[in-house]
Amino acid sequence: MSFFAVPVAVAVLLSILIPAIVGAAVRRGDRNGRAATGPTTDTGALFVVTNRRWQSVLFRVVGIVFLVIGGFFTLVAVVESEQMDGPGPLITGAGITVAGVLFVVLAMGIRRFRVEAFGNHLTVRPWFRATRVVAVTEIGSVRPSLNQYGGIDVRDVNGRMLFTATTISIGYHDIAAYLQERLPRKQTTNPAVPGDAASWQGATLRAESLPLPRGRKGTVKSGVRLTAGGVSGHMHTSELVNLLNHRIGIAESTTSDPLVFLCWPDSASPTSIVWEATKDLPADSLALLADPMERGPAAVLTGTELTDFSKWITALPR
């Protein structure tokens, strides 16, 4: 085996042993801890919150790279120890190796995280602690998360952290809306975020107030979820106010896939598909559109219904 192959072999061995050891410890904790009971996702979960696969893959790759580099420098420091002035290179190599181990362990935690939501409880599988069932009544606070992606930190009534859902987590907006609906007075957020505003219901459109992240830091702001049949989209309250005041002609959803639009019929270009879908509507109406737009608007607001919707939107904090 060549000199350079030794650290590579050590890194590969560690990348196999570390996940196995940590995984065994976590499984043991699940068996000895407060194990989850109740429905599974297949038998009634409303939605699931998880981290994205690329997050754990990224941490694992970085960890393995650090293990290779750290192992190489550690081996060089041991072999050439007599020619070196002090323990500096050995400490550096060992430090890089430890960092690699931490990255690999974090990758396991990121991949393990999972929250399943049910009508009156959550099944929470944290990064490394035992999986547990958390009744909605056990949740003490929901606060904006201070990490670089933003999101929410959920704690129990004793102040212990239950889980963090970032704005890039799968199911983030679902869990934010779920908690806002069930715990409106336990949301400790920016004053601009609505508390317990009642939802608005029209003939074909339903609007619900909820917090939405905005900007690079994911600062929580006032938002609205619009639902019409099978079409649903989240929009910031400030943009809807600008739309209703004709400062903009079209408001676009923040997270929907496909995108959802709320617009005035005269705001679209005559060559656009939006114009084709709204050309027969009154100019003083609002249309909710989603792909495929050839089906026409999912909802249309006119007259007193549009007036009531406007009053509800403008009354929300921003």
Side-chain angles (χ1 to χ4, degrees):
M1 184 179 291
S2 68
F3 178 79
F4 294 99
V6 173
V8 175
V10 171
V12 172
L13 181 62
L14 289 175
S15 67
I16 296 173
L17 289 177
I18 292 169
I21 294 171
V22 175
V26 168
R27 286 191 294 273
R28 182 178 180 182
D30 279 343
R31 289 194 299 269
N32 298 334
R34 185 179 177 183
T37 59
T40 64
T41 304
D42 296 332
T43 58
L46 301 176
F47 58 87
V48 176
V49 183
T50 61
N51 290 316
R52 299 185 183 275
R53 182 181 177 85
W54 62 261
Q55 294 176 268
S56 62
V57 171
L58 177 62
F59 272 78
R60 183 182 291 273
V61 169
V62 172
I64 292 174
V65 171
F66 273 44
L67 285 172
V68 172
I69 295 174
F72 173 76
F73 279 109
T74 301
L75 186 59
V76 169
V78 171
V79 173
E80 303 293 337
S81 59
E82 295 182 358
Q83 302 178 16
M84 294 184 178
D85 297 331
L90 179 60
I91 294 174
T92 300
I96 296 174
T97 302
V98 171
V101 171
L102 292 177
F103 273 109
V104 172
V105 172
L106 287 175
M108 293 190 62
I110 292 171
R111 184 174 181 179
R112 184 176 186 271
F113 169 74
R114 183 182 182 91
V115 176
E116 296 180 356
F118 299 88
N120 60 0
H121 71 276
L122 301 171
T123 300
V124 181
R125 188 172 70 189
W127 281 23
F128 301 111
R129 298 200 308 271
T131 303
R132 60 175 293 190
V133 173
V134 180
V136 172
T137 54
E138 294 182 58
I139 298 176
S141 66
V142 181
R143 303 171 183 270
S145 179
L146 300 180
N147 66 72
Q148 60 179 327
Y149 296 111
I152 52 174
D153 292 335
V154 182
R155 298 177 180 270
D156 64 16
V157 291
N158 297 317
R160 183 185 182 188
M161 179 70 75
L162 294 172
F163 65 90
T164 295
T166 67
T167 57
I168 62 174
S169 298
I170 296 173
Y172 168 74
H173 292 287
D174 291 322
I175 191 65
Y178 175 96
L179 295 171
Q180 176 70 21
E181 178 182 350
R182 288 162 174 78
L183 303 166
R185 298 186 181 279
K186 293 186 179 180
Q187 306 278 340
T188 305
T189 57
N190 187 297
V193 176
D196 54 356
S199 60
W200 180 88
Q201 181 67 60
T204 57
L205 181 69
R206 177 179 177 82
E208 302 168 89
S209 173
L210 78 168
L212 289 177
R214 188 162 195 170
R216 292 175 54 189
K217 296 183 178 180
T219 303
V220 179
K221 297 291 185 180
S222 174
V224 174
R225 177 167 59 193
L226 301 176
T227 306
V231 174
S232 180
H234 299 82
M235 300 183 183
H236 291 289
T237 303
S238 58
E239 293 188 6
L240 291 175
V241 171
N242 288 336
L243 176 69
L244 292 167
N245 290 328
H246 294 275
R247 299 190 189 104
I248 58 175
I250 299 177
E252 181 180 306
S253 62
T254 60
T255 59
S256 299
D257 185 16
L259 289 175
V260 176
F261 303 92
L262 189 66
C263 65
W264 299 105
D266 59 359
S267 62
S269 167
T271 59
S272 70
I273 192 171
V274 173
W275 182 83
E276 285 291 336
T278 60
K279 63 181 180 181
D280 297 326
L281 297 177
D284 57 346
S285 63
L286 275 179
L288 186 71
L289 301 170
D291 287 331
M293 294 188 187
E294 292 81 0
R295 296 184 304 183
V300 177
L301 299 178
T302 59
T304 57
E305 190 176 44
L306 176 57
T307 301
D308 291 342
F309 176 75
S310 299
K311 290 180 179 178
W312 184 83
I313 290 293
T314 54
L316 295 176
R318 297 188 290 279

